[in-house]
Amino acid sequence: MKKTKTTFLLAEICLGILLLFCVHLIFEDEKPQKRVAVIVEKSGDEKWNSFMNGLKQAAGIANIHLIICNTDEIENADEEKNLIYDQLDNQVDAFIVQAAPGKDTIDMLREIRVQKPMLLVANDALREKEEDHTSKYSDLPVITPD
């Protein structure tokens, strides 16, 4: 009787160790996803459908968690800055931003870019040119339509 109890106990210990080993193998490759916030004006509008679908496909391939911020109209740099700082509080790793209209936008974007990587989406604010006919956003990475 004592021999069967020890055999049963050894079998249970071996199965427990095997279970722990399998659980370790399952979660070993689990890396936390990078988080990217997407801030564009009227993000639910139809004009963004292709853009958002492409972002979602790329995020799935690259194992990135997208946070698409619902916005109506971003009227100035302060509103956009508040939205960006809200996302910084949510621990995002990077931003895809449509620049807000206004004169303070470039300084605000440069300030944020020091903290986290940022990619700008082309809009009317990016078409503004300085006196030397170069874009004032030339030091920031920008994507534009073909």
Side-chain angles (χ1 to χ4, degrees):
M1 193 70 151
K2 191 173 188 175
K3 193 174 189 179
T4 58
K5 284 184 180 181
T6 55
T7 306
F8 178 74
L9 196 61
L10 284 173
E12 287 294 317
I13 291 171
C14 289
L15 288 174
I17 290 171
L18 186 61
L19 176 69
L20 290 174
F21 179 70
C22 290
V23 168
H24 174 70
L25 286 178
I26 290 171
F27 293 110
E28 181 180 47
D29 293 334
E30 194 85 11
K31 296 177 185 171
Q33 288 183 320
K34 298 282 186 180
R35 299 167 51 113
V36 177
V38 180
I39 302 172
V40 292
E41 183 180 16
K42 297 180 184 175
S43 58
D45 197 320
E46 285 182 15
K47 71 178 181 179
W48 295 111
N49 285 348
S50 297
F51 179 71
M52 294 297 177
N53 288 336
L55 284 176
K56 289 175 184 175
Q57 287 176 356
I61 292 169
N63 194 27
I64 293 174
H65 178 73
L66 279 182
I67 301 169
I68 300 172
C69 301
N70 291 327
T71 58
D72 290 329
E73 289 192 27
I74 300 173
E75 295 184 14
N76 57 35
D78 289 332
E79 289 179 15
E80 189 168 67
K81 186 175 184 176
N82 290 337
L83 189 55
I84 289 172
Y85 276 115
D86 287 344
Q87 292 307 313
L88 281 173
D89 291 342
N90 287 335
Q91 316 260 319
V92 297
D93 296 304
F95 291 97
I96 298 174
V97 177
Q98 180 184 18
K103 296 178 182 176
D104 300 335
T105 304
I106 186 67
D107 296 329
M108 182 270 300
L109 292 175
R110 285 185 179 136
E111 176 186 324
I112 300 296
R113 186 161 184 250
V114 171
Q115 298 173 21
K116 298 286 181 178
M118 181 176 298
L119 179 66
L120 297 180
V121 178
N123 65 352
D124 292 337
L126 295 176
R127 291 192 195 122
E128 296 173 11
K129 303 285 183 186
E130 292 180 342
E131 303 85 46
D132 61 355
H133 303 290
T134 60
S135 174
K136 60 184 178 178
Y137 294 92
S138 61
D139 62 327
L140 299 171
V142 178
I143 58 170
T144 58
D146 290 341

